[in-house]
Amino acid sequence: MSAVRSEVTDSYYEFGTPAERWARARQFFEAKEYVTAADILTGLVAEAPEQVAPRLLLARAYYHSARLEKAETQLRAVLDRDPVEEYAALMLGRTLERQGRPAEAAPYLRVAAAFAGDFRD
């Protein structure tokens, strides 16, 4: 029975156009169903890896569902594609802090603060 359920679940994540799946993922994210949102977004990111928005939302879903290593991977990919993505820098800093890596987090948090116009030490 679980194999059938898995197939149904997988097809639900893949059902529809990319725009429909993006809307569905956002609805799940807004409903704080982060694991389901991530499951949908994983396919979207695989289909269009150059797109920053789905990858950033996937990173956020991973962060909120405490899958911090996965969040870190996605955030680094976002920053590789868009080095001035302020929110990705902030999130990467927070993700690294949450993993107990404050020294690694500090440069990303400083960059995010600078992007936001906060130049304090």
Side-chain angles (χ1 to χ4, degrees), residues 9-79:
T9 303
D10 289 346
S11 66
Y12 176 74
Y13 298 147
E14 298 167 2
F15 178 76
T17 66
E20 290 167 338
R21 287 181 283 142
W22 169 248
R24 190 176 322 119
R26 290 181 48 186
Q27 287 175 333
F28 278 106
F29 185 89
E30 290 168 10
K32 299 183 180 180
E33 294 289 337
Y34 302 118
V35 172
T36 302
D39 289 339
I40 296 168
L41 289 162
T42 299
L44 287 171
V45 167
E47 289 173 28
E50 72 284 354
Q51 293 290 320
V52 170
R55 192 177 294 274
L56 187 55
L57 190 60
L58 176 58
R60 292 175 64 199
Y62 283 148
Y63 179 87
H64 288 298
S65 60
R67 295 185 283 179
L68 301 177
E69 290 177 6
K70 288 184 174 196
E72 178 184 348
T73 298
Q74 294 303 320
L75 291 164
R76 289 186 187 281
V78 167
L79 290 170

